Amino acid sequence: MIKNSRELIGNGVNSIQRKVRRDFCKILERTLKAIDPYNLVGQNLEVKGSILKVNKTLTLNLSQYRHIYIAGAGKAAYKMALAVEDLLRPRITGGCINVPALPVHSRLKKVVACKASHPIPDISGVQGTKQIVRLIENLTEQDLVITVISGGGSALMPLPAQGITLQEKIKITSLLLKTPATIDEINIVRKHLSQIKGGQFACLAYPATLVTLYISDIIDDPFDLQASGPTAPDPSTFQDAIYILKKYEIWNKTPLNIRRRLTRGASGFIP
């Protein structure tokens, strides 16, 4: 995994230093292997015949499903999707993911990977997200969706709420990134400006069975805040989003359409 490990070890001036360098390279390689998204997914999915076990707690009979799809977004989404596809390849119908960079030679066979921008969303991300929505919005109880979500998923899977343009969402994201706002606070605002975040992805996939695999670099990060929680219930409110924008003194700089949506939501006119 470390391509120049021999060189790094050989640069030690004596046998003691070379041993320390050798040990360090082994530790680093094992750490990288342990946190590799492909390996993490493989450790949490197990297939025996038609039975899929997720995290050793959820058991699904794959023979009950007519179609199985993979969807999602994030910096680790490519390797996550590849791990799911390799495990279930004969059964996978199709899929779509948004990622920040495409591999030179993709190993995905059934899943389409769309390039999107991070940390500022772009039109390619919107187009990829619309493709994901088309994939999941008309499913039935006979369908299974396995969603892969990782860090960066919030920016990589953008779909502005009706009445809000991508440019307006880009502006509010840029404003927030210039403040001391935490990623949790930024995601609370983004959830209330989206058609897909804050559990709305799960609503679109209903009544299909939905399984979500999350990878986060934040220990004990709540599911609703990881990538703005597209498949998790949202405990935050429109009023919370307004409070955050006012807290960091950017409410008056916020695009009018966004202020209107948040105000209408806080007044109960938007679910």
Side-chain angles (χ1 to χ4, degrees):
M1 190 173 293
I2 301 175
K3 295 182 178 180
N4 64 334
S5 59
R6 286 188 178 181
E7 180 183 356
L8 293 172
I9 295 167
N11 283 339
V13 296
N14 54 47
S15 60
I16 295 176
Q17 280 199 11
R18 286 191 290 273
K19 181 181 183 305
V20 170
R21 285 168 173 259
R22 187 178 296 108
D23 290 344
F24 178 79
C25 285
K26 287 181 179 179
I27 292 169
L28 183 57
E29 284 192 332
R30 290 183 183 182
T31 302
L32 292 172
K33 183 178 180 180
I35 64 173
D36 182 88
Y38 186 95
N39 294 334
L40 285 173
V41 170
Q43 292 165 15
N44 285 277
L45 293 181
E46 180 184 0
V47 177
K48 288 186 178 180
S50 62
I51 302 301
L52 171 66
K53 286 191 175 181
V54 184
N55 195 30
K56 299 180 181 179
T57 57
L58 174 66
T59 300
L60 297 173
N61 187 343
L62 299 178
S63 65
Q64 295 179 353
Y65 300 105
R66 182 183 56 182
H67 301 297
I68 301 176
Y69 298 96
I70 300 172
K75 290 179 280 187
Y78 171 80
K79 282 194 171 184
M80 294 174 74
L82 180 62
V84 176
E85 191 183 84
D86 283 350
L87 190 66
L88 301 175
R89 181 169 295 165
R91 301 177 183 270
I92 299 296
T93 302
C96 184
I97 57 173
N98 281 5
V99 294
L102 300 175
V104 177
H105 302 291
S106 177
R107 291 166 53 197
L108 291 169
K109 303 298 182 183
K110 298 289 187 70
V111 179
V112 176
C114 303
K115 188 176 183 300
S117 176
H118 175 273
I120 303 297
D122 65 356
I123 189 62
S124 296
V126 172
Q127 292 169 345
T129 305
K130 287 181 177 179
Q131 192 168 337
I132 292 171
V133 169
R134 287 194 294 270
L135 184 75
I136 67 170
E137 64 180 346
N138 294 311
L139 301 184
T140 71
E141 294 178 352
Q142 295 179 298
D143 298 315
L144 170 65
V145 180
I146 300 178
T147 309
V148 291
I149 301 292
S150 70
S154 192
L156 290 166
M157 194 161 56
L159 190 61
Q162 290 185 353
I164 296 176
T165 67
L166 175 62
Q167 290 304 315
E168 289 170 334
K169 196 165 184 183
I170 289 173
K171 181 173 181 179
I172 194 61
T173 300
S174 298
L175 285 171
L176 284 163
L177 289 173
K178 293 175 183 176
T179 72
T182 66
I183 187 61
D184 294 354
E185 291 174 316
I186 293 173
N187 283 353
I188 285 172
V189 174
R190 290 197 282 202
K191 279 192 282 190
H192 291 86
L193 304 177
S194 172
Q195 295 184 50
I196 203 166
K197 298 176 173 65
Q200 295 180 89
F201 182 105
C203 293
L204 290 170
Y206 182 82
T209 297
L210 178 67
V211 173
T212 306
L213 306 176
Y214 280 95
I215 289 182
S216 176
D217 55 359
I218 303 173
I219 296 174
D220 293 330
D221 192 9
F223 289 118
D224 64 278
L225 293 175
Q226 295 179 29
S228 298
T231 69
D234 179 19
S236 68
T237 66
F238 282 95
Q239 189 60 54
D240 292 335
I242 293 173
Y243 171 80
I244 291 165
L245 296 177
K246 289 183 175 180
K247 172 184 176 181
Y248 294 108
E249 300 180 348
I250 57 175
W251 174 255
N252 292 331
K253 299 178 183 178
T254 299
L256 181 59
N257 286 334
I258 290 179
R259 281 184 284 162
R260 283 176 176 168
R261 174 177 171 79
L262 295 179
T263 301
R264 281 176 53 80
S267 300
F269 292 105
I270 302 174

